[in-house]
Amino acid sequence: MTSHTLEETTTLSAFPPPALSAEALPQLIDALVEQGWYLGTGVLDGDLCAELHAELSALAEHDALEAAGIGRGRELRLRRDIRGDAIHWLDRESLAQRRYLEAMKEVQQALNQTLFLGLFEYEAHFAHYPPGAFYRRHLDSFRGRANRVVSTVGYLNPDWPTDGGGEMVLYAPDDPERVVARVCPSAGTFACFLAETVPHEVLPTRLPRASIAGWFRRNASLGGQVDPAR
Ligand code: OGA
Ligand code: MN
């Protein structure tokens, strides 16, 4: 390796490209305001998606994922007839996770500055859907715990075939039978929508499917007790 190449390599690794493409943010804000949901393809950095995908695959291989449930805290229930994914909460343990979470912080700041949403926190988990798994139509904010305001989903799957299944389907807030978007879970695709009003589902997948589902939260604290994460 010549010293020139070495220098280039060093410069590149010191300044990774933005995790979320610069054009995506203003488009995301406009789309959320106008229609309550945003969908962008090729907006998450390819190398970052590959690293996150490798991390999730390793967790799945080592049986280090937990079956996803319905509800929160003491009301958490396993319902394979409703959702079949296995998850791992992001905890900043890798550089890739930290890059993803930093990008989400930028989204949060932009949402707060332009839409005054008062979002104070972001929580996210990896999700691994084995072949045959799905997630029935649902809303992301739980009854009586309406503190999830905006949902995000980032997709990590390289070369997803058209017959791979596993699309996320978004429905109109005012007409839950009307499909407004079908999201192919290809690496680089990012979706964002209002958690309390946009019904959505994950169709049965034919191949192992990797995503990161996350939520911007408002503080729903009562009596001075901060609402716990998850
Ligand atoms: C969720 C969800 C969609 C996806 O976890 O609540 O809707 O495509 N996920 O992973
Ligand atoms: Mn959901």
Side-chain angles (χ1 to χ4, degrees):
M1 198 187 274
T2 66
S3 65
H4 178 67
T5 314
L6 186 63
E7 211 168 84
E8 270 182 0
T9 311
T10 311
T11 310
L12 274 177
S13 60
F15 298 101
L20 195 74
S21 80
E23 307 86 70
L25 212 44
Q27 288 171 4
L28 184 155
I29 302 283
D30 285 352
L32 270 192
V33 171
E34 276 163 31
Q35 55 192 19
W37 56 275
Y38 161 81
L39 174 63
T41 56
V43 303
L44 293 172
D45 178 58
D47 289 339
L48 177 63
C49 287
E51 282 166 36
L52 291 166
H53 188 257
E55 199 173 324
L56 176 53
S57 301
L59 289 165
E61 259 165 50
H62 292 95
D63 265 332
L65 300 173
E66 51 184 295
I70 303 294
R72 268 194 192 189
R74 292 176 57 182
E75 281 164 29
L76 192 71
R77 299 278 178 276
L78 250 195
R79 288 290 302 271
R80 288 281 171 226
D81 54 330
I82 298 179
R83 70 184 291 192
D85 56 329
I87 65 167
H88 177 82
W89 289 94
L90 267 62
D91 50 13
R92 309 187 68 87
E93 67 200 342
S94 68
L95 183 61
Q97 285 191 26
R98 292 193 292 276
R99 274 187 73 199
Y100 191 83
L101 292 170
E102 285 308 310
M104 293 305 117
K105 191 174 277 178
E106 280 175 34
V107 175
Q108 178 176 325
Q109 280 165 0
L111 289 171
N112 281 342
Q113 279 162 15
T114 55
L115 304 178
F116 310 107
L117 287 180
L119 308 172
F120 87 119
E121 198 180 57
Y122 181 72
E123 58 179 356
H125 63 58
F126 283 116
H128 169 79
Y129 287 72
F134 52 80
Y135 193 162
R136 296 272 183 242
R137 188 167 62 185
H138 64 280
L139 289 173
D140 280 344
S141 80
F142 302 115
R143 197 157 36 98
R145 299 285 293 273
N147 57 344
R148 286 177 167 181
V149 182
V150 176
S151 304
T152 65
V153 195
Y155 294 98
L156 309 178
N157 309 286
D159 310 317
W160 193 259
T162 46
D163 64 351
E167 289 102 344
M168 177 173 69
V169 182
L170 301 181
Y171 296 90
D174 52 357
D175 176 4
E177 299 304 318
R178 184 163 59 89
V179 173
V180 292
R182 278 176 173 272
V183 186
C184 178
S186 300
T189 294
F190 185 73
C192 189
F193 50 88
L194 299 179
E196 290 152 305
T197 55
V198 178
H200 56 284
E201 73 178 316
V202 177
L203 300 179
T205 186
R206 198 170 62 73
L207 304 169
R209 173 193 193 272
S211 60
I212 297 179
W215 299 273
F216 294 110
R217 290 155 36 108
R218 195 185 278 142
N219 187 355
S221 68
L222 281 175
Q225 204 190 4
V226 173
D227 192 46
R230 302 170 191 182

